[in-house]
Amino acid sequence: MTSDHDDVASTQPAPRVLHMIGNAHIDPVWLWQWPEGYQEARATLWSAVQRMDEYDDFVFTCDQVVLLSWIEESDPELFELIRRRVADGRFILAGGWWVEPDCNIPCGESFARQGLLGQRYLQEKFGKLAAVGMNVDPFGHHAMLPQILRKHRLTGYCFLRPGPHEMQLPGSPFAWESPDGSRVTAYRIPHEYCAPGADLAYHTAKAVGQFSPGTTDAMVFYGVGNHGGGPTRANLDNIHKLNDMGTFGRLVLADPGRFFDSLDAAELPVWAGELQHHAAGCYSAHSAIKRWNRRAENALLFAEKWAVVAARVADVAYPAAELTHAWKQVLFNQFHDLLPGTSIEPAYDDARDQLGEATSIARRVGNRALQNVARKIVVPFAAETQPVLVFNAHPWPVRADVEVELSLPTDRSVVRDSDGREVPTQPTQPRATMSDRRRQRLVFPADIPPLGYRLYSIGADTGGNVAPVRATDTTLENDHLQIEVDPATGWLTRLVHKQQGVDLVAGAARPHCLAAEDQTDTWGHFVVSYSGGGEPFRCSSVRLVEQGPVRAVLRIESRYGSSSLVEELILGRDAEHLEIRLTLDWHEQLTLAKLRFPTALTEPVATFEIPYGDIVRPTDGAEQPGQSWVDVTGTLPDGSRAGLTVLNNAKSAYDVRDGDIGITIARSPVYAWHDPRKLDADGIYSYQDQGRQSFSCLLVPHAGDRSAADVVRRAAELNQPPQVMFESFHPGQLGPIGSFAAGTDPSVVVTAIKGGEDDSAAMVVRAYESAGQPCRATIDLPLAGRTIEADFSPHEIKTFLVPADPAAAVQETDLLEWPQTAD
């Protein structure tokens, strides 16, 4: 029997429960340098454990593993107290990543290493993993993150940006789905992740004001943050007072894991794709750190692959400790206020040194590995020749023009391959400016097998003659491409894909490089697009500077204000792409420079590379983050389908307006300038991107869609080019050409081959499916006498552990290199 009172009670809305998440968002570097962040981490975590002694119900949530590693090395007493509080459930380990990185610009493998090093550290030091990912402050989140998080054993995700005014979501919490179908439970933090040190009523009210109608359970994050501090006594007393008052419902001191555990994931709305945008200026701010980061990532990936090879063929130890230290330096400098370019200028002196250290370690490890492999290769004696080994780090064959500089007893040289056949060779400008004519720089095409090497020799020219690449002062042509440059504008009027017989730029007579006034702050707050207008650079010279049997080079020189741009258009004899080497000498302030690549395409579809994948975005000119390439595919005037892919090795800020591709190559705001602060008319400021920078692009025209252009592999080759090493004559167990690993399916891209974390003699192979199609792929590992065969779902990332013991089976693992667990 039910009473009237029960009937009334059953119709009342469920009481609201606010899960109050005590945290201290610590920027280890931002408006201060990292030593200050280091000390602030120690002070903040001391405060957190002291609050636990004073308030029996207080729970503290900590992310960013680097902070705990700093405590371990500088304050063992505090570290032990944290260990005890972790054990009793009061100090909550969250995030699971080394830092809160920028979540757009690092490569896919960097995201893999954030969790690999972070979660393994937590397991080793505290005996448990983080369950909830936390990237509360980054300025956007790429679409592949749910899969990466799940493979880090993280099932929840907390973030703040983009906010409600920047992106509408179906609710919070919600199920966030990546292109492969992986899901995590995601929560957009209402209002802010940090709070004032005293009264929380205003902070809580603002958070409640962002709740969806009918919300009964939600998280509110509190604690003094950015420069650390954490929850204060006043915060905790105020929470207890607000709870007694009942104004906002019931307030519970909690942690994100408990909140997520209380949800029914099956009932949550689903959001598929990326979480963008916030602070679009961060995709281009501070060109140098973007370049340093890209260089360090690729140097480490190159070094790891060849260190694995050297360990097997030369019986040398895999340098796990060196590589781990270098990766930690890279991961730290991917922090979301550093890699996006928003920190103070001295912070970038530190970043330059730390990323330089990581790159230097990688170069040493890589060189040592190549030297160890080289000593095992037979190099037969040949009088008056110089042996040269060319190494390819990719598990697919690579053909590339390589350059070498050396002193020879003749001023006419020829290169022969490992079979003794002459290959086309031509001189190019040496880097050393010497009166000795015997000092030469040569360029020749090298064909290198998958993850392998090939021996070449340089000797005296025997008089062989190969016709030069066809070129004039304004044209370049080979069997695949025909290019014509307008000397008045300094840009292409023809880009003909000869196989298809179509011109990608016919009639697209729009400016190529523009400068535009940019009064936006360092972050580019409230910016949607940087693609509107600007003043073209003025072309001062177009001329043919190099022509021979290997390649032809047109040099275009342009100016804007006090700045100059030199572009060398390079067409190789057999190339299906146009290479552009750019040197920008930039001296403008509160101005940006944008490269534009006009096309004749209509009905365009724009695809951008993102970490471990790609994504289609609107062609509305919005500034977008990206990795190494962007593609536009559409319809030409004759009705045929074609496209253009633009690749680069240093930039990450793109736009596509209609069929034209843009890359922001320089921005010069004031360092760490945050709107609405106005610049003082008589202030002395330091502006970003001043001076000289160099990088490379490839233009890849293609018929049909981009799959025919193999752009994912081309981008990898641009960022990890073949390495050349001089050798001496000696016997060896390896032949003059060799290969150590090869993948068979072109859509499955092997991104990393490294030593195992638990056993460095084991081999770890990581790959992802890049075409959005299911496939069965084979990865041959003659280095280990193994073959991996696996089914890949569309956009799936897979990791394989290959034990050193040949009798032990190859095992598929998660990104932590542990056996996969059932979801």
Side-chain angles (χ1 to χ4, degrees), residues 143-211:
M144 293 297 286
L145 275 176
Q147 181 180 182
I148 294 170
L149 292 163
R150 293 306 297 247
K151 291 179 183 290
H152 285 150
R153 305 194 178 189
L154 296 162
T155 57
Y157 191 64
C158 298
F159 69 99
L160 178 70
R161 302 184 182 93
H165 63 294
E166 295 164 317
M167 175 178 240
Q168 291 187 345
L169 293 170
S172 187
F174 60 96
W176 184 21
E177 183 177 278
S178 61
D180 73 305
S182 297
R183 290 183 181 179
V184 294
T185 302
Y187 185 84
R188 178 160 64 187
I189 298 167
H191 180 47
E192 267 291 354
Y193 50 76
C194 56
D199 191 339
L200 293 177
Y202 175 80
H203 173 78
T204 306
K206 292 289 287 185
V208 170
Q210 291 188 6
F211 292 169

Side-chain angles (χ1 to χ4, degrees), residues 533-598:
E535 182 179 337
F537 277 57
R538 299 184 309 277
C539 178
S540 57
S541 172
V542 177
R543 57 197 174 99
L544 182 68
V545 296
E546 187 176 322
Q547 184 181 20
V550 178
R551 68 188 188 189
V553 182
L554 290 180
R555 181 176 298 155
I556 303 169
E557 299 183 29
S558 305
R559 297 197 64 85
Y560 171 83
S562 301
S563 303
S564 64
L565 176 67
V566 177
E567 298 175 277
E568 292 197 326
L569 276 54
I570 303 172
L571 184 64
R573 169 173 293 278
D574 299 314
E576 297 182 54
H577 63 265
L578 177 66
E579 179 182 0
I580 309 174
R581 296 182 185 175
L582 303 99
T583 299
L584 174 67
D585 193 6
W586 185 247
H587 297 281
E588 312 308 315
Q589 299 175 356
L590 301 183
T591 308
L592 65 84
K594 175 83 77 168
L595 287 182
R596 301 214 63 81
F597 300 92

